[in-house]
Amino acid sequence: MFYLSRQTVSRHRSLYAGSFVALAVGVFLLGLAATATAATIAYHGPAAAKIVVTTLGGDDAAPRQVSVPMSDADVSGLQTVLSLVGVICGFITIFVIASTFAFAVASRRRELGLLRLLGATPGQIRRMVLGEALVVALAASLTGAVMAQLATPLLLRKASYTELAPVRLEPASPWVPLSIAVGAGLLVAMLGARSAARRAGRVGPIDALREAALEPPRIGPVRVVFGLLFMGGAIVMLTLIRPSTGEGVVPLAMFTPMVMVIALTLLAPLVVPWISRLWALPLVAWTRVSGRLARSNVVAAPRRSASLAAPILSISAIAGSMVLSLSFAADSAAATIRDTLRAPVVVTEAADLSRVPGVGTVDAGLPLQLVRISRDDAQLEDAEGIDPAIATRTRDLTPLSGDLDHLTGNTVAISKEMSSLEHYRVGGEMSVTFLDKTAAKLKIVAIVPDALGVNPSLLIPIDLARKHAPTAKPDHLFVLPADGLDPASLVSTIDHAVPAADWEAEQADGVRKGNQFGLILLLGPAALYSAIAIANTLLMGSLQRRHEFVTSRLLGATPAQIRRMVLWESSLVGAVALTLGTAITVTVGILIRHAMTSGVADVPVTVPWAVLLGIAGICLGLAVGSALAPTTYILRRSQPSAAVE
């Protein structure tokens, strides 16, 4: 049977070329993420750049020594991004492979029916299709792994000495990560082909001969049940995107669209015809014949249309949701910085303002780092030493619980985010080790609102900061002018002084740029892969319609009419996929904005229309171009007489 599968793949090279390219690129991206992650794990900075502490232990965890890298040797940010890239690429790969194999099987219904007529059993058909998937997967996975190994040094050079990896990274041993990537490719291919193989096994000899060019009118109940289950799970996840979820809204905003895409892909043969009919109403009224034919082709072949729409739906929903989420996160951060900072003047460099006339109050917090120790782990945290009497005048530090007047001695005030994530409460203790290797237990005296850019997660007494970080200097000074003095005159008097509004805008712009950088790292590979997948799928769809096109020529259709029909048909498929992707994006966007901006007044709304419209335009352009190009080629190389061959 495996020999027959190899022969079948060889005979249908053009049909499986799309699956090969899609899987090879998927394994390439997965392998690249795996080898780069291996390089970050294998990285060992200089001994001076690490601090060794002992965890607390307790319950089932025994105390253990942990080596914590300092900020200049921390590559955990790159590890996190690479993990997310692997998850997103793996997710898209599964759907692309599933849709391409489903399309390949649907295109061979006549051939499969003839095999059944010659005596092949459903089990033999299933094994043959799975064997074909294995042949393609082996070749594609090995090709992708070789490409990943060749590209890894370039990726590491680009990633070194950046914000995510401020060190030089060198390639590690590739065998384990590439083996994982190859194994993932084989697994994804077999999972994607499993449904197609089962569908192929259900092709009957008589039905195949009678319906060789027509798909079954219904989809199986198992697919409907799983589609509804995933949709129910997505609805539950949507209900969890609320203010009380805290930082959990960010991963929810990323994974909820994936679950919704799974549900809509499973239910697509039911959903696509209805949305296609709605989009086709103005199209039919405008174009009449070509638009009507395009609508009929999309509606009459819902499985094929769903397979063509799957990659567009996945990337538009995931990319759109992440773009909106990061944009709204930046809006929320900007509003929080604005509401937290009370001082009208900010000095961006450390300076002695004690003798400057007109200066009223100067908030000169001391930034430092310390290691926060938990039961089974230890993490480097940013902290700031403050004078509560001064800081509460220049910033909004109204405690959510506790009292900042008690911030003296070995005490700490923590942010709401850290309290929620680590389950700290007022009156509890936090075990820390300062970078001078002094261990201490800090009593938690207050929980203050989050204010990224103004306050770090940990606030300690300024005397404690001076004791353990004697060389620390303020990054900036928050200044209150003397009574009756115009802040503008103070800005012109002090070097490196700027109005608070300008400083707030700069901080918000930094957050937005950081989000954009993360978005490029997360979605760049996935977007490239999706573009290839969209082109692949549409190319496969058009190349397999040669007989249909030449038959239409035999019936009197001109090449221009057929091209117009394909144009409207691919546009309809793209419009349906983008409609579903837009619905997911808008739903997640509305909920994520409400969750992030709850309790913050006058939050600006920044919708990156150019990026969102660019995603939609590229997807639609790829869909149309990838369908028209092979159609034009077929029409030029084929004559109407080929319909009787």
Side-chain angles (χ1 to χ4, degrees):
M1 189 59 68
F2 187 73
Y3 174 79
L4 179 61
S5 298
R6 286 194 295 110
Q7 295 299 316
T8 305
V9 171
S10 177
R11 192 165 71 89
H12 293 285
R13 286 189 298 271
S14 61
L15 184 62
Y16 283 107
S19 300
F20 173 85
V21 173
L23 186 57
V25 175
V27 173
F28 164 69
L29 294 175
L30 289 172
L32 204 57
T35 53
T37 301
T40 63
I41 294 173
Y43 172 77
H44 296 289
K50 297 178 181 294
I51 183 170
V52 178
V53 298
T54 303
T55 61
L56 300 179
D59 293 340
D60 296 333
R64 61 189 180 93
Q65 286 193 331
V66 178
S67 179
V68 181
M70 313 300 268
S71 59
D72 60 345
D74 187 11
V75 294
S76 59
L78 183 59
Q79 289 178 356
T80 301
V81 170
L82 290 172
S83 299
L84 293 176
V85 168
V87 170
I88 294 175
C89 290
F91 173 81
I92 295 177
T93 301
I94 290 176
F95 277 89
V96 170
I97 296 303
S99 63
T100 53
F101 271 106
F103 184 83
V105 170
S107 301
R108 294 170 55 202
R109 285 185 62 83
R110 182 186 295 274
E111 175 187 331
L112 297 175
L114 289 174
L115 288 174
R116 290 296 315 281
L117 194 63
L118 293 174
T121 65
Q124 289 174 326
I125 296 293
R126 286 195 298 270
R127 288 194 294 274
M128 182 187 73
V129 173
L130 289 175
E132 294 168 4
L134 182 59
V135 170
V136 175
L138 280 172
S141 297
L142 293 175
T143 302
V146 172
M147 293 167 55
Q149 175 61 17
L150 295 176
T152 296
L154 176 61
L155 173 65
L156 294 179
R157 281 199 300 271
K158 295 295 184 181
S160 297
Y161 303 115
T162 62
E163 183 179 350
L164 292 175
V167 295
R168 179 178 176 81
L169 296 173
E170 297 291 346
S173 173
W175 299 111
V176 173
L178 290 184
S179 297
I180 293 174
V182 171
L186 293 174
L187 179 62
V188 164
M190 301 311 292
L191 289 176
R194 184 172 179 270
S195 177
R198 293 179 61 185
R199 191 177 305 132
R202 289 196 295 266
V203 174
I206 303 301
D207 290 341
L209 291 175
R210 184 176 64 244
E211 301 184 50
L214 189 64
E215 295 179 3
R218 298 178 181 177
I219 62 175
V222 175
R223 180 169 180 168
V224 173
V225 169
F226 274 97
L228 294 176
L229 286 175
F230 276 104
M231 183 59 71
I235 293 173
V236 171
M237 295 176 72
L238 288 173
T239 62
L240 296 176
I241 303 178
R242 53 191 178 191
S244 60
T245 307
E247 288 300 303
V249 298
V250 176
L252 279 172
M254 186 179 75
F255 290 110
T256 301
M258 295 184 183
V259 179
M260 296 186 75
V261 166
I262 295 173
L264 290 176
T265 301
L266 291 172
L267 300 175
L270 299 177
V271 177
V272 166
W274 290 98
I275 302 179
S276 299
R277 290 188 179 96
L278 292 177
W279 274 108
L281 289 176
L283 183 60
V284 171
W286 181 41
T287 63
R288 302 201 177 200
V289 177
S290 58
R292 195 181 300 274
L293 286 174
R295 180 191 63 183
S296 299
N297 285 337
V298 174
V299 172
R303 292 179 185 273
R304 183 184 70 183
S305 301
S307 298
L308 298 177
I312 302 177
L313 168 61
S314 62
I315 191 59
S316 63
I318 295 172
S321 299
M322 293 190 68
V323 167
L324 277 187
S325 297
L326 292 178
S327 179
F328 292 160
D331 292 340
S332 177
T336 301
I337 293 172
R338 178 203 64 204
D339 293 346
T340 302
L341 185 59
R342 293 173 176 173
V345 178
V346 179
V347 180
T348 57
E349 291 188 7
D352 183 8
L353 304 182
S354 59
R355 299 182 180 180
V356 177
V359 173
T361 302
V362 178
D363 180 4
L366 293 179
L368 72 157
Q369 291 183 311
L370 52 82
V371 178
R372 181 178 57 84
I373 303 172
S374 59
R375 289 184 175 181
D376 57 355
D377 199 6
Q379 290 184 341
L380 192 70
E381 301 282 1
D382 291 322
E384 183 181 0
I386 64 168
D387 183 342
I390 295 176
T392 51
R393 297 181 60 191
T394 61
R395 324 177 204 180
D396 183 6
L397 289 175
T398 305
L400 301 174
S401 62
D403 190 347
L404 281 177
D405 290 340
H406 299 153
L407 192 65
T408 59
N410 284 354
T411 58
V412 63
I414 64 175
S415 67
K416 178 185 176 183
E417 174 189 342
M418 177 166 287
S419 172
S420 300
L421 292 177
E422 304 298 336
H423 307 292
Y424 288 121
R425 297 292 181 266
V426 172
E429 287 187 337
M430 177 185 295
S431 296
V432 302
T433 297
F434 293 94
L435 298 193
D436 61 2
K437 300 187 179 179
T438 303
K441 288 185 179 294
L442 305 182
K443 182 180 179 181
I444 300 172
V445 297
I447 296 175
V448 297
D450 300 319
L452 180 66
V454 180
N455 303 324
S457 298
L458 303 177
L459 299 174
I460 64 175
I462 195 166
D463 292 336
L464 187 63
R466 289 195 184 107
K467 177 181 178 181
H468 296 288
T471 60
K473 294 182 179 180
D475 290 332
H476 46 254
L477 309 176
F478 298 140
V479 181
L480 290 173
D483 293 339
L485 185 68
D486 183 14
S489 62
L490 199 59
V491 170
S492 61
T493 303
I494 304 174
D495 292 337
H496 306 294
V498 295
D502 294 347
W503 184 82
E504 292 163 2
E506 182 181 353
Q507 298 302 305
D509 187 57
V511 173
R512 201 173 296 279
K513 288 181 179 178
N515 287 348
Q516 291 174 352
F517 180 63
L519 187 67
I520 292 173
L521 288 178
L522 285 174
L523 291 183
L528 173 63
Y529 180 42
S530 296
I532 295 173
I534 292 170
N536 253 337
T537 309
L538 271 296
L539 280 169
M540 288 171 58
S542 296
L543 288 173
Q544 294 305 309
R545 299 175 66 184
R546 175 179 176 276
H547 186 77
E548 174 189 337
F549 292 157
V550 296
T551 301
S552 299
R553 290 288 311 280
L554 189 64
L555 294 175
T558 65
Q561 289 173 326
I562 294 176
R563 283 195 295 269
R564 282 197 297 271
M565 179 193 72
V566 172
L567 168 65
W568 301 132
E569 185 178 335
S570 57
S571 299
L572 267 181
V573 171
V576 169
L578 290 175
T579 299
L580 295 174
T582 300
I584 295 174
T585 298
V586 171
T587 302
V588 173
I590 292 174
L591 293 175
I592 200 74
R593 176 172 171 77
H594 172 67
M596 288 182 171
T597 60
S598 178
V600 184
D602 301 325
V603 180
V605 181
T606 304
V607 178
W609 292 110
V611 177
L612 295 175
L613 293 176
I615 293 172
I618 291 173
C619 289
L620 197 58
L622 283 172
V624 172
S626 301
L628 279 179
T631 300
T632 302
Y633 173 80
I634 291 171
L635 293 175
R636 286 179 179 175
R637 298 291 297 268
S638 302
Q639 298 299 322
S641 58
V644 298
E645 294 179 358

